[in-house]
Amino acid sequence: MGKEAGGNAASLFASLSLCLSFRRSPATEESYNFLVNYISLPEVIYTIFLPLLYIYSLKSDIIMNQNTYFIYFLTNWNKNVLYVGVTNNLSRRLTEHLTGKFSGFTKKYNCNILVYYEEFEYINNAILREKEIKSWRREKKNALIENFNPKWEPLNHRFLRE
């Protein structure tokens, strides 16, 4: 625990205290001097910054997982076309399909009836599931829908207000 390491820790703590608006009083000054003079930089990293980084990563996981993600199937009135999509806001996305906001497959084939959906906590899982389902033959997709919604009834009302 040399003075050189303490000097590195001192500059690190000085930067940290400026960033955090660290108020120094006689009591905190003594603690600050102890840290600067007797704790090496590696000890600072292992005892202060890594635990803080770990706590931050847990917090960011919580923040990142506030959303619910969906994969969904849309069909047309004749039920002869299927569209599989993924979104984090099924209500908004259904509205976009119904209003024809974006030109593309669903607008071209008039797919705006929700007949199937799954919820996911993580976007990666939703995307993987979407890719898996898109690779299936039509018969397997139909069977999935029929297990969930045997009469292929429109489910839009679950996500849209009248």
Side-chain angles (χ1 to χ4, degrees), residues 106-147:
T106 58
K107 187 173 183 177
K108 181 177 179 180
Y109 293 100
N110 202 24
C111 295
N112 52 28
I113 301 170
L114 179 68
V115 291
Y116 180 85
Y117 63 92
E118 292 178 21
E119 293 183 32
F120 295 86
E121 184 178 1
Y122 300 100
I123 186 63
N124 294 349
N125 295 343
I127 292 169
L128 287 173
R129 180 68 168 156
E130 179 198 27
K131 288 179 181 182
E132 175 190 14
I133 289 172
K134 282 186 173 184
S135 71
W136 292 355
R137 296 182 57 83
R138 175 65 189 250
E139 297 81 22
K140 192 170 181 179
K141 293 175 189 175
N142 288 352
L144 183 66
I145 294 168
E146 287 166 7
N147 283 335

Side-chain angles (χ1 to χ4, degrees), residues 2-162:
K3 189 68 174 165
E4 185 179 326
N8 289 339
S11 64
L12 188 63
F13 279 112
S15 299
L16 182 62
S17 60
L18 283 175
C19 292
L20 299 176
S21 300
F22 183 70
R23 289 188 182 189
R24 291 190 183 165
S25 66
T28 58
E29 185 71 29
E30 185 177 328
S31 299
Y32 179 82
N33 287 334
F34 172 79
L35 291 172
V36 169
N37 293 318
Y38 297 104
I39 297 180
S40 69
L41 186 57
E43 287 176 308
V44 169
I45 292 170
Y46 288 114
T47 59
I48 296 174
F49 293 107
L50 289 181
L52 287 175
L53 185 60
Y54 176 71
I55 291 168
Y56 175 77
S57 72
L58 291 177
K59 184 178 178 185
S60 66
D61 280 349
I62 292 167
I63 291 168
M64 291 296 290
N65 295 329
Q66 288 178 342
N67 286 329
T68 301
Y69 301 93
F70 298 89
I71 61 113
Y72 61 98
F73 285 25
L74 297 178
T75 191
N76 58 2
W77 282 109
N78 295 327
K79 297 177 179 69
N80 59 359
V81 179
L82 277 180
Y83 171 80
V84 181
V86 65
T87 185
N88 68 338
N89 186 332
L90 194 50
S91 176
R92 183 202 75 236
R93 193 68 181 110
L94 284 172
T95 302
E96 291 170 352
H97 286 297
L98 286 166
T99 60
K101 182 174 183 176
F102 301 110
S103 60
F105 185 89
T106 58
K107 187 173 183 177
K108 181 177 179 180
Y109 293 100
N110 202 24
C111 295
N112 52 28
I113 301 170
L114 179 68
V115 291
Y116 180 85
Y117 63 92
E118 292 178 21
E119 293 183 32
F120 295 86
E121 184 178 1
Y122 300 100
I123 186 63
N124 294 349
N125 295 343
I127 292 169
L128 287 173
R129 180 68 168 156
E130 179 198 27
K131 288 179 181 182
E132 175 190 14
I133 289 172
K134 282 186 173 184
S135 71
W136 292 355
R137 296 182 57 83
R138 175 65 189 250
E139 297 81 22
K140 192 170 181 179
K141 293 175 189 175
N142 288 352
L144 183 66
I145 294 168
E146 287 166 7
N147 283 335
F148 182 78
N149 183 2
K151 295 181 182 179
W152 288 59
E153 294 174 349
L155 305 174
N156 298 43
H157 65 280
R158 294 184 182 181
F159 297 94
L160 298 175
R161 294 185 180 152
E162 297 292 326

